Amino acid sequence: MSICILFPTATEARQFQHPGVDTVVSGVGLTATAYATLKAIREQRPSLLILAGIAGVYPQAGLDIGEVVLVSSEVEGDLGFFTPQGFTHLAQLPLEMAFERRHTLHCPHLPAASTLRRARSLSLNAALAPFVDSSEVEIENMEGAAFFHVCLQENVPFIELRAISNVVQPGHDDWDMDGAVSALHAALHQLLAQLPVVET
């Protein structure tokens, strides 16, 4: 089994090593992630792609800073229009145009043996955006929806792991970046140990 792990930043990737696993710093945001994901698929032909990074937690989610979750679904939360009634997601606008109405993307490859909790995620280019609907999700990141979309379109198995580093709340600056990255790496090693033998 060949595995490639995408980290949005060098900070999240720092000092992570695992024999036989390729790592890529994919860049922050949906555009950079879409490009890096497709490039990894085309050039490396992995059996499994993993996106691993930090995330913010919404106050109502019941998750703790330092906790690591498997992401079960992603929504590109700030894709849409501002209307007189407020922000409306593109998939829910009554536009008379022929286009794919893409809202919630699901991961069909979650490892059943993992003890990690699962979380639903919102992906945003505008972090901490006050106008998005976060009522049906637990965490926020800036890459996952693009990663899900490309992997689903290319029919490549994928998993996303996120370590909680902060609360999604403007003015809440109590981040634990180092603790989240350490927890992320420990969870990655645990996950990799549960997967079939990695090619070296």
Side-chain angles (χ1 to χ4, degrees), residues 22-66:
D22 294 319
T23 61
V24 172
V25 175
S26 55
V28 174
L30 297 166
T31 304
T33 302
Y35 171 72
T37 302
L38 187 58
K39 184 178 181 182
I41 290 170
R42 297 289 169 85
E43 292 183 358
Q44 300 185 25
R45 305 287 180 182
S47 307
L48 175 68
L49 269 174
I50 299 174
L51 176 61
I54 61 172
V57 62
Y58 288 101
Q60 76 278 6
L63 295 168
D64 298 322
I65 290 179

Side-chain angles (χ1 to χ4, degrees), residues 78-196:
D78 52 3
L79 178 66
F81 283 74
F82 283 95
T83 71
Q85 293 74 40
F87 178 77
T88 303
H89 195 280
L90 184 62
Q92 297 162 342
L93 283 169
L95 295 175
E96 294 183 5
M97 297 178 69
F99 65 96
E100 177 191 2
R101 294 184 180 271
R102 184 177 71 252
H103 190 263
T104 306
L105 304 174
H106 298 276
C107 178
H109 309 287
L110 296 174
S114 177
T115 58
L116 295 173
R117 290 174 66 178
R118 298 180 180 189
R120 300 164 297 176
S121 181
L122 207 61
S123 292
L124 307 169
N125 273 318
L128 307 176
F131 56 84
V132 297
D133 179 9
S134 60
S135 61
E136 299 295 324
V137 299
E138 289 81 38
I139 66 170
E140 170 185 295
N141 73 81
M142 302 181 81
E143 297 85 21
F147 176 73
F148 271 45
H149 180 64
V150 172
C151 290
L152 287 167
Q153 292 295 310
E154 294 294 309
N155 197 29
V156 174
F158 64 96
I159 298 170
E160 181 181 2
L161 260 68
R162 291 286 173 172
I164 307 303
S165 59
N166 62 288
V167 176
V168 180
Q169 197 169 38
H172 192 289
D173 298 324
D174 187 18
W175 287 52
D176 184 4
M177 188 85 67
D178 291 339
V181 170
S182 294
L184 178 68
H185 290 188
L188 275 170
H189 283 285
Q190 180 185 21
L191 175 67
L192 291 169
Q194 296 169 346
L195 296 175

